[in-house]
């Protein structure tokens, strides 16, 4: 359990560091455009909401886990997002059946 907490803390600290880097300089100046920098700028088209620091930490953790076991991470992430997006879940269910 302690190792899991350390991994979670590490992922969140990396997200915090990257957000701080992006705040200090524009992406063009940094020369480093990565997936997290795109997520930081994302905005939900329906609600206008932007990801919180907690959201970014969770995404960083997902990216770390993806390198460890891609299949299970992708499957877990897909199920998570489908459960939280009922329209996508209904469409996926129709396509599978």
């Amino acid at each position: 359990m302690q190792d899991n907490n350390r991994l979670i803390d590490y992922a969140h600290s990396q997200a915090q560091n990257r957000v701080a880097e992006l705040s200090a300089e524009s992406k063009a100046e940094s020369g480093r455009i990565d997936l997290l920098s795109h997520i930081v700028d994302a905005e939900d088209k329906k609600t206008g909401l932007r990801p919180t620091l907690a959201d970014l930490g969770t995404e960083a953790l997902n990216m770390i886990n993806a390198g460890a076991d891609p299949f299970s991470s992708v499957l877990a992430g897909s199920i998570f997002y489908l459960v939280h997006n009922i329209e996508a879940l209904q469409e996926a269910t129709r396509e599978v059946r």
Side-chain angles (χ1 to χ4, degrees), residues 6-22 32 34 36-37 40 53 56-61 63-64:
R6 284 183 22 214
L7 179 60
I8 292 167
D9 291 342
Y10 174 76
H12 284 267
S13 71
Q14 292 303 302
Q16 270 184 317
N17 292 342
R18 188 66 180 123
V19 168
E21 287 175 12
L22 290 169
R32 178 178 165 203
D34 54 17
L36 198 57
S37 66
V40 167
L53 191 54
L56 297 171
T58 301
E59 290 300 328
L61 181 60
M63 288 181 226
I64 291 169

Side-chain angles (χ1 to χ4, degrees), residues 17-89:
N17 292 342
R18 188 66 180 123
V19 168
E21 287 175 12
L22 290 169
S23 297
E25 57 189 33
S26 74
K27 284 190 293 188
E29 291 173 354
S30 74
R32 178 178 165 203
I33 299 176
D34 54 17
L35 185 59
L36 198 57
S37 66
H38 289 288
I39 296 172
V40 167
D41 293 335
E43 182 176 308
D44 187 285
K45 292 177 183 174
K46 291 181 184 176
T47 64
L49 293 175
R50 298 176 64 100
T52 64
L53 191 54
D55 296 330
L56 297 171
T58 301
E59 290 300 328
L61 181 60
N62 287 337
M63 288 181 226
I64 291 169
N65 283 335
D69 186 0
F71 179 76
S72 64
S73 295
V74 168
L75 184 60
S78 298
I79 290 170
F80 173 83
Y81 287 116
L82 284 171
V83 168
H84 287 86
N85 185 339
I86 194 68
E87 293 88 16
L89 177 60

Side-chain angles (χ1 to χ4, degrees), residues 82 85-97:
L82 284 171
N85 185 339
I86 194 68
E87 293 88 16
L89 177 60
Q90 290 170 344
E91 183 178 336
T93 301
R94 276 192 305 275
E95 289 178 9
V96 170
R97 290 185 179 168

